[in-house]
Amino acid sequence: MVVLKTSAEIDAMKEAGRLSAKALRIVGEAIRPGISTLELDALAEEVIRAEGGIPAFKGYGGFPGTICASVNEEVVHGIPSAKKILRAGDIISIDTGAIVEGWVGDNAHTFPVGKITPENKHLLAVTEQSMWAGIDAARPGNHLGDIGFAIQSIAERAGYSVVREYTGHGIGREMHEDPSVFNFGRKHTGLELCVGMVLAIEPMINRGKRKVRTMSDGWLVCTRDGKPSAHFEKTVAITADGPVVLTQE
Ligand code: MG
C-alpha cells in the first residue's frame, strides 16, 4: 500500500531530510586515507543525535550502524568496522538516514578517497547523473517505469550495469514503504506517479556485470565479478510542481 503524504507532512519530512543530508555531508568531509568506517559511523551518529534525531539505520533489522559504508566492489550494506581502513584510490558509498518527529530521511553518496582512477571517477559521475535523471522523471502522470528507464538508459549507455536485486522505495513514517522503485524499466509502465508520493531514488551501478552476492555476515552485498560499484540516493517528494528533494540542507 502506497501511503500518500499531505503537503504539511512533506514539509515535516524536510527536517528529517535536512538532518540526513547534513550527516552525509559531514561524513563526506571527514573521508580521508587512514580513517576507519567505524570512525565515520560515530561521526554520523553524533551529528544526528546532536540535533535530537535518531539514526534510522541503527537497529533496523538488526543492522548495527548509523551508516552503511561500502567500499569499491562492495555495493551496499557494509557494516562499519574499526578494521576497515580507507586507502587512497578507494571509492566509498555512505548511506545514512535520520528520524525526526517520526519521519524518516534516507540518502547516499559515493565519495572518492584521495585520488581515484579516471575509470572510477567516470563511474561516480554516471551513477550520480542516472540518479538525477530518475529524480527528474518523478513527476505526476509519469509511471514508476519512467524512473527506472531513465536510470537504466544512462548507466547502460556508459557500458555499466544496473543492480537488480536492490531498489529504491517509498519512505515516510517507515524507512521502507511501498512502492519498490526499480532502477530499470520500460517507459510508461508500472504504477502511475501522483502528488504526495515520497520516494527514495537510489541507483546502484556496477562497472562490470550486474550480478551481486551477499557475504557471510548476512548484510554486505558485493559484485560477483569484484569490479567497483557506486550508489547515490535522495529522498524525493512528488508535487504538482515536480520532484522536490527532501534530503537537502
Ligand atoms: Mg534507501
Side-chain angles (χ1 to χ4, degrees), residues 82-115:
K83 291 188 198 138
K84 191 91 183 180
I85 310 290
L86 298 183
R87 293 176 303 187
D90 287 341
I91 57 172
I92 178 170
S93 156
I94 303 289
D95 192 347
T96 192
I99 304 170
V100 177
E101 304 286 346
W103 296 102
V104 187
D106 188 6
N107 61 178
H109 191 101
T110 303
F111 298 94
V113 183
K115 193 173 156 52

Side-chain angles (χ1 to χ4, degrees), residues 25-77:
R25 174 179 57 80
I26 289 176
V27 168
E29 288 166 2
I31 286 173
R32 55 175 169 78
I35 200 166
S36 75
T37 57
L38 191 65
E39 287 172 277
L40 296 174
D41 186 76
L43 182 58
E45 181 165 1
E46 193 184 302
V47 171
I48 291 170
R49 293 204 193 276
E51 296 199 33
I54 299 166
F57 295 7
K58 201 160 192 160
Y60 188 92
F63 189 80
T66 293
I67 62 172
C68 297
S70 310
V71 180
N72 297 332
E73 77 282 4
E74 298 172 359
V75 180
V76 286
H77 303 162

Side-chain angles (χ1 to χ4, degrees), residues 148-165:
F149 177 82
I151 291 167
Q152 183 181 20
S153 304
I154 287 176
E156 292 185 352
R157 203 181 304 140
Y160 302 144
S161 61
V162 175
V163 173
R164 305 287 176 109
E165 290 85 346

Side-chain angles (χ1 to χ4, degrees), residues 72 89-91 116-125 160 207 228:
N72 297 332
D90 287 341
I91 57 172
I116 62 171
T117 63
E119 290 82 3
N120 277 346
K121 216 179 256 184
H122 189 252
L123 174 70
L124 266 49
Y160 302 144
R207 252 179 63 195

Side-chain angles (χ1 to χ4, degrees), residues 95 106 169 176 200 202 233:
D95 192 347
D106 188 6
H169 47 92
H176 294 118
E202 51 173 322
E233 175 180 29

Side-chain angles (χ1 to χ4, degrees), residues 149-239:
F149 177 82
I151 291 167
Q152 183 181 20
S153 304
I154 287 176
E156 292 185 352
R157 203 181 304 140
Y160 302 144
S161 61
V162 175
V163 173
R164 305 287 176 109
E165 290 85 346
Y166 300 87
T167 67
H169 47 92
I171 181 168
R173 294 250 178 225
E174 301 293 332
M175 183 155 66
H176 294 118
E177 297 183 355
D178 287 338
S180 292
V181 182
F182 292 94
N183 294 309
F184 58 95
R186 286 180 294 121
K187 273 185 181 174
H188 219 69
T189 61
L191 184 70
E192 186 173 338
L193 304 178
C194 65
V195 171
M197 287 181 179
V198 180
L199 306 175
I201 296 178
E202 51 173 322
M204 288 144 266
I205 305 297
N206 296 348
R207 252 179 63 195
K209 296 198 165 64
R210 69 175 171 86
K211 291 287 183 190
V212 297
R213 63 181 163 147
T214 305
M215 308 308 280
S216 57
D217 67 8
W219 282 103
L220 179 63
V221 176
C222 290
T223 59
R224 277 192 183 267
D225 62 12
K227 292 192 176 162
S229 184
H231 174 214
F232 287 79
E233 175 180 29
K234 291 194 188 290
T235 298
V236 180
I238 299 179
T239 76

